[in-house]
Amino acid sequence: MTDTILEDWVAGTTNYRIRASVIAGVSVVYTIFVIVTLVMFIIVARNKRSGLEKRSVKLVFIQALGCYLAGVDGLVTAALNNWACFIRLWLFNIGFMLSLSAMFARAFHLMVVYKVHELTSKLSLRDPMQIINEMEAGVMQSAPILPKIVVHSSLVGHGVEHTEKQSASALRSKFSRTKLSSSEEQIRDMQQLKKYRRLLPYATDRMLITFILISLVLTMVLSLVINITNKQFAVRPVQSVCDFFWGFLPVTAIIIVYFFIVFPLILWRVWGNRDAYGIRHDLIICDTVGIAVLIVTLVWVNVLRETQQIWPGLSYVWIYAFFLHISSVFVPLLNAIKHNKSALEGNNQSPSSEAEMAPRVLLPLPNRRVNFNRMLDDPIEYNKFRTFAVSCFSSELTAFIEEYQVLKAKTIAILRPKSMRGRPSDSTICTLANPEPTKLPVSPHATSPPKTSESAYTPTSVTTSILDTLTNNSKPTHTVSFPSQLFDKLKAVYWDYIDPNSYTSVNASPMVVRRIDEMMNNNDYNVTLFDELKDEVLFMLYSDVYTRYIRK
């Protein structure tokens, strides 16, 4: 600032009073807006379906607080000529350091979590060679794609097995050429996943808030040093006229590092990510608006000195704070409210049996659950949905239902052939309800009608339980348990998706987890072990991820 104030703009003049009144009104409206939107953000974030908690509410709050302090500093500086220099300095330094360090913390958190979900989802895809070997061996296990697949052993002898073997040979030839490169890529992905999982402990709210607090303490120490060494910013005697450039230079240099180095690097790293939680947009707003405001402010206060007396350049900091608050708080809040309303409307619908039997068409909103179930059975749509779930940090949900399908396939492959021959498949399994034999059309080129399959294997949709698949929806006469060969697999599923300490935990309700714990502690491996959890996971996918997916 200059050492003198223009006569027309000194305190008490008409121009000064008009300017002060206008900015005071803007400040009051801005304060109410920030408080209301921030409180609503925290309240709405309590609803897990809103998705706001995945933005890290604590970090967003710290960022919004920093933006507000910097914005109010700019507005009050524009309104009052006698605004103490040391207060300007402290609000400027603390406001910018809180907002920038919180933005960096949010970006780091979302980047690490997204990469863990992306790489975990990518590595969970099955090896094509394994699927081919299973085809040749006549055993079909469920792949991560969920659609219903039917393989009838009774078709052997009618040309089908020859076609399958030809297809398997062709696929083997195709995949063998890329096996080495795929293996190398898988190794690289595993190494990256290991690296990002090592970063996860540093991407928690606790660690990132610690980083912000350290930055805040250093900023306060720096501000105190400036108070002591620069008389313009001394606490006593209070100065109201001060040079913007030299007093604000240290923190301005840190701001420049964030705007021109740190944030562009983070943007480069997250640019290819499918951004469901807006960190890329927030970074773009923060960086572009921040750079523009920084340049305008520096030119305004150091070159346009006479204009600076009419309208102080520091007031433009408010524009940066306002836009960042809109991007990080207000827009996500509106989207979350719309999402909750849309999810609630979808959850209140109970599709009729006629709708379930209708052909696949674009159904209106009330039939969303029908479309969701059909999407699970559509390989193309499900793969798109699976990829979208990664961007929503929900890959553990799709991974769990894929594991459930694998368990179903393996259980049926072991139990159904024996049970259908009337013999128990395991010492703990009694006779199941015998399903009707599968009837197949007779080939016109066949010399004899096809035999009825005793081991027809029909993996069903994930919405159908293992027990219902085994019994063809008939009531079993005795308790049905998983075969002992799958006990290790069941424990692995528990540690991966149910244990609260697992990185891939589905965050099931305590009641469901308690029931599973009780069953496993009692060595009760009933085939319904994961059914309640499966239904809960499907509901989470439907009410949250799928509602977002259909809006994209």
Side-chain angles (χ1 to χ4, degrees):
M1 292 183 178
T2 58
D3 294 332
T4 59
I5 299 176
L6 297 178
E7 293 182 0
D8 293 341
W9 294 93
V10 296
T13 61
T14 302
N15 291 339
Y16 178 85
R17 286 199 298 267
I18 292 174
R19 184 183 67 185
S21 300
V22 171
I23 296 179
V26 172
S27 300
V28 171
V29 173
Y30 175 60
T31 300
I32 295 173
F33 173 74
V34 169
I35 293 174
V36 170
T37 53
L38 201 52
V39 170
M40 288 183 64
F41 187 94
I42 295 171
I43 293 173
V44 175
R46 293 179 180 177
N47 185 342
K48 292 185 177 181
R49 289 183 304 191
S50 68
L52 293 181
E53 82 285 352
K54 293 183 179 178
R55 290 176 175 267
S56 184
V57 178
K58 295 176 182 178
L59 297 180
V60 171
F61 176 82
I62 293 173
Q63 177 188 305
L65 177 61
C67 287
Y68 176 74
L69 293 177
V72 167
D73 184 37
L75 290 173
V76 176
T77 299
L80 304 177
N81 290 341
N82 56 349
W83 182 236
C85 289
F86 81 91
I87 298 179
R88 298 182 207 175
L89 176 73
W90 277 74
L91 288 179
F92 180 89
N93 289 356
I94 293 176
F96 264 101
M97 288 307 300
L98 282 179
S99 64
L100 294 179
S101 58
M103 173 62 74
F104 170 80
R106 288 181 57 216
F108 178 76
H109 167 77
L110 292 176
M111 179 180 66
V112 171
V113 174
Y114 175 85
K115 293 301 293 185
V116 169
H117 279 267
E118 181 189 45
L119 293 168
T120 301
S121 178
K122 189 176 180 181
L123 289 169
S124 69
L125 292 173
R126 297 177 62 201
D127 184 0
M129 298 298 293
Q130 178 185 353
I131 300 174
I132 295 168
N133 291 334
E134 291 171 357
M135 288 173 60
E136 291 186 330
V139 178
M140 178 62 73
Q141 295 185 358
S142 175
I145 299 176
L146 297 178
K148 295 173 278 189
I149 303 171
V150 181
V151 179
H152 295 282
S153 62
S154 60
L155 293 177
V156 176
H158 295 279
V160 176
E161 83 285 359
H162 177 66
T163 304
E164 281 192 0
K165 287 183 178 179
Q166 281 185 329
S167 301
S169 299
L171 287 170
R172 180 179 293 280
S173 175
K174 175 182 178 180
F175 286 121
S176 62
R177 292 192 297 269
T178 60
K179 183 178 180 181
L180 181 60
S181 60
S182 298
S183 299
E184 292 174 349
E185 183 181 0
Q186 190 177 36
I187 291 173
R188 285 197 300 269
D189 289 340
M190 291 177 66
Q191 291 173 342
Q192 272 204 320
L193 178 59
K194 193 177 295 184
K195 178 184 74 174
Y196 281 105
R197 280 193 168 176
R198 284 199 298 265
L199 290 175
L200 274 177
Y202 302 99
T204 61
D205 281 354
R206 183 175 181 177
M207 290 298 295
L208 292 174
I209 290 175
T210 301
F211 160 74
I212 294 172
L213 290 177
I214 292 174
S215 301
L216 178 62
V217 169
L218 293 176
T219 302
M220 293 173 70
V221 170
L222 179 62
S223 302
L224 188 60
V225 170
I226 296 174
N227 291 153
I228 296 172
T229 58
N230 193 322
K231 293 182 179 180
Q232 288 184 339
F233 297 95
V235 177
R236 288 186 180 181
V238 176
Q239 299 289 329
S240 60
V241 178
C242 44
D243 192 333
F244 175 88
F245 184 77
W246 294 112
F248 294 87
L249 180 62
V251 171
T252 301
I254 298 174
I255 293 172
I256 291 173
V257 171
Y258 269 110
F259 284 158
F260 289 93
I261 299 177
V262 176
F263 289 158
L265 283 175
I266 297 177
L267 264 174
W268 173 68
R269 293 300 301 268
V270 304
W271 192 261
N273 297 353
R274 291 173 174 84
D275 189 14
Y277 292 108
I279 192 61
R280 186 171 59 190
H281 300 150
D282 290 355
L283 282 169
I284 292 174
I285 293 295
C286 179
D287 211 37
T288 54
V289 177
I291 289 174
V293 167
L294 178 65
I295 293 174
V296 169
T297 301
L298 289 176
V299 172
W300 200 275
V301 301
N302 292 289
V303 178
L304 305 175
R305 289 186 173 271
E306 186 170 330
T307 308
Q308 159 76 7
Q309 298 307 308
I310 300 174
W311 192 268
L314 197 60
S315 63
Y316 293 106
V317 171
W318 173 78
I319 297 176
Y320 157 81
F322 178 74
F323 272 93
L324 193 54
H325 186 85
I326 290 289
S327 174
S328 301
V329 178
F330 183 67
V331 172
L333 175 62
L334 288 183
N335 291 336
I337 293 173
K338 291 179 182 178
H339 172 74
N340 287 347
K341 182 179 179 182
S342 180
L344 185 61
E345 290 174 354
N347 294 340
N348 289 336
Q349 304 301 328
S350 53
S352 62
S353 57
E354 290 81 3
E356 293 282 3
M357 300 298 294
R360 182 180 176 87
V361 293
L362 184 59
L363 297 175
L365 186 62
N367 294 314
R368 187 187 302 157
R369 187 63 190 241
V370 179
N371 270 348
F372 173 71
N373 292 338
R374 287 173 175 168
M375 179 274 298
L376 295 176
D377 293 336
D378 185 322
I380 297 176
E381 278 298 315
Y382 176 73
N383 273 332
K384 292 178 182 178
F385 176 75
R386 188 177 192 269
T387 303
F388 181 78
V390 172
S391 70
C392 295
F393 305 157
S394 299
S395 62
E396 73 280 359
L397 301 180
T398 55
F400 173 78
I401 61 174
E402 289 160 12
E403 286 286 4
Y404 185 87
Q405 287 293 80
V406 171
L407 276 174
K408 182 192 298 182
K410 291 184 176 181
T411 302
I412 296 171
I414 296 172
L415 299 187
R416 177 172 277 184
K418 296 182 181 181
S419 65
M420 293 182 68
R421 290 194 297 267
R423 295 193 302 268
S425 58
D426 190 85
S427 59
T428 62
I429 300 175
C430 298
T431 305
L432 302 174
N434 233 345
E436 292 294 327
T438 307
K439 296 182 180 180
L440 300 171
V442 179
S443 170
H445 305 290
T447 56
S448 60
K451 296 181 180 179
T452 308
S453 171
E454 287 188 345
S455 58
Y457 169 49
T458 311
T460 53
S461 171
V462 71
T463 56
T464 305
S465 68
I466 297 174
L467 182 61
D468 288 341
T469 304
L470 280 169
T471 62
N472 278 1
N473 295 309
S474 300
K475 186 176 180 180
T477 57
H478 299 281
T479 301
V480 184
S481 298
F482 282 107
S484 57
Q485 299 96 310
L486 298 181
F487 285 179
D488 288 340
K489 177 69 174 175
L490 297 175
K491 293 174 183 177
V493 170
Y494 177 89
W495 292 117
D496 286 341
Y497 301 106
I498 302 174
D499 178 39
N501 297 319
S502 172
Y503 289 133
T504 53
S505 172
V506 297
N507 294 320
S509 62
M511 181 177 62
V512 172
V513 174
R514 185 169 61 251
R515 289 175 184 170
I516 295 175
D517 284 341
E518 290 173 356
M519 292 179 70
M520 296 192 73
N521 290 336
N522 295 328
N523 293 322
D524 180 5
Y525 294 104
N526 192 290
V527 291
T528 61
L529 177 66
F530 297 134
D531 284 359
E532 194 174 3
L533 177 60
K534 182 260 298 181
D535 292 338
E536 189 171 289
V537 167
L538 285 175
F539 178 77
M540 287 190 281
L541 283 172
Y542 166 68
S543 62
D544 184 13
V545 183
Y546 185 70
T547 306
R548 300 177 191 278
Y549 175 73
I550 59 178
R551 292 207 311 261
K552 292 294 180 180

